[in-house]
Amino acid sequence: MFGRKKTINDELASTVSTDPARPGAKNRPTPKRREQEALNKRPLIVTDRKAAGAQDKAARREAMAKQRAGMMTGDEKYLPARDKGSRRRFIRDTVDARWNIGEFMLPVMLIVLLLSFVRTNWALLLVFVLVYGLILVAIGDALLMWRRTRRKVEDKFGGAEKGDAWYAIMRAFQMRRTRMPKPQVARGQHPA
């Protein structure tokens, strides 16, 4: 009534340009605002919650797998804030390069637990000596390790920061296989 109706041929003719393609130019008509907004529209509340939950779960699982793989390789982008930085990497490598007595505490404590079921005097005395002796030796070893590491950190970075000692000692008390991020150096391969 108010205008002519467009046919399919008219729409095709309007989308195909008669001008030759120019390098560096857009070479297509600008889309209508209404069409662009229609492409971006999504419902606020998803109608299929089960599918949306499954999709969200898969996305989270993929992100966690990527983050875990980054932590395994020591990729700086995926590390938590406490492990980031060249100072913390240096401390990690220094601790991982040596044998620490504290990392043997868990296996020894399992043996001590088994010995504590034996109700004889020699077993109880052995349990007492193993537990307290190992704790004292491990603490002494960790403190000596930190003294040496602190000197290296001061030489390389110009002074130790507040949480560096605790970071190094806690890493020394973890079993090597369970440390996160995974050790990047072999034993005896001290960082320069």
Side-chain angles (χ1 to χ4, degrees):
M1 177 174 160
F2 292 105
R4 68 183 181 97
K5 292 186 179 180
K6 290 187 177 182
T7 63
I8 295 173
N9 292 335
D10 290 340
E11 287 180 21
L12 286 175
S14 66
T15 58
V16 176
S17 176
T18 57
D19 298 331
R22 297 175 300 153
K26 185 169 64 172
N27 294 326
R28 62 178 169 76
T30 304
K32 300 271 190 244
R33 181 181 188 141
R34 163 178 16 147
E35 294 166 0
Q36 282 301 110
E37 287 176 351
L39 290 176
N40 293 332
K41 280 191 179 178
R42 290 179 189 89
L44 292 176
I45 300 173
V46 180
T47 55
D48 188 8
R49 287 183 161 205
K50 203 173 205 181
Q55 185 180 14
D56 185 46
K57 192 174 184 179
R60 273 188 283 129
R61 186 177 292 131
E62 183 180 324
M64 290 298 289
K66 188 183 282 187
Q67 184 177 8
R68 182 162 176 78
M71 289 248 332
M72 293 290 202
T73 59
D75 188 4
E76 195 77 21
K77 183 170 59 171
Y78 296 106
L79 295 178
R82 68 153 200 244
D83 295 320
K84 282 188 179 178
S86 57
R87 170 190 302 272
R88 290 295 169 102
R89 177 177 290 278
F90 181 78
I91 292 171
R92 274 195 312 272
D93 291 347
T94 304
V95 171
D96 293 340
R98 69 187 298 269
W99 289 93
N100 299 296
I101 295 173
E103 66 186 282
F104 298 107
M105 281 189 64
L106 185 63
V108 171
M109 290 302 168
L110 289 173
I111 294 169
V112 166
L113 180 67
L114 294 174
L115 282 175
S116 68
F117 290 119
V118 178
R119 293 290 176 190
T120 59
N121 287 339
W122 68 268
L124 294 174
L125 180 64
L126 186 62
V127 165
F128 180 79
V129 169
L130 276 175
V131 168
Y132 291 107
L134 185 63
I135 289 173
L136 289 175
V137 170
I139 289 172
D141 179 56
L143 292 174
L144 287 174
M145 179 268 311
W146 172 242
R147 254 180 89 186
R148 290 186 199 118
T149 304
R150 186 184 70 214
R151 277 193 221 121
K152 291 177 185 177
V153 169
E154 286 174 353
D155 290 344
K156 187 165 182 151
F157 298 103
E161 290 182 356
K162 186 177 180 182
D164 288 349
W166 191 249
Y167 184 74
I169 291 171
M170 286 293 101
R171 189 157 178 96
F173 274 87
Q174 294 173 345
M175 289 191 318
R176 185 174 170 92
R177 288 177 165 257
T178 61
R179 293 176 186 165
M180 277 300 210
K182 291 287 183 193
Q184 302 295 313
V185 295
R187 292 202 196 263
Q189 184 184 352
H190 295 278

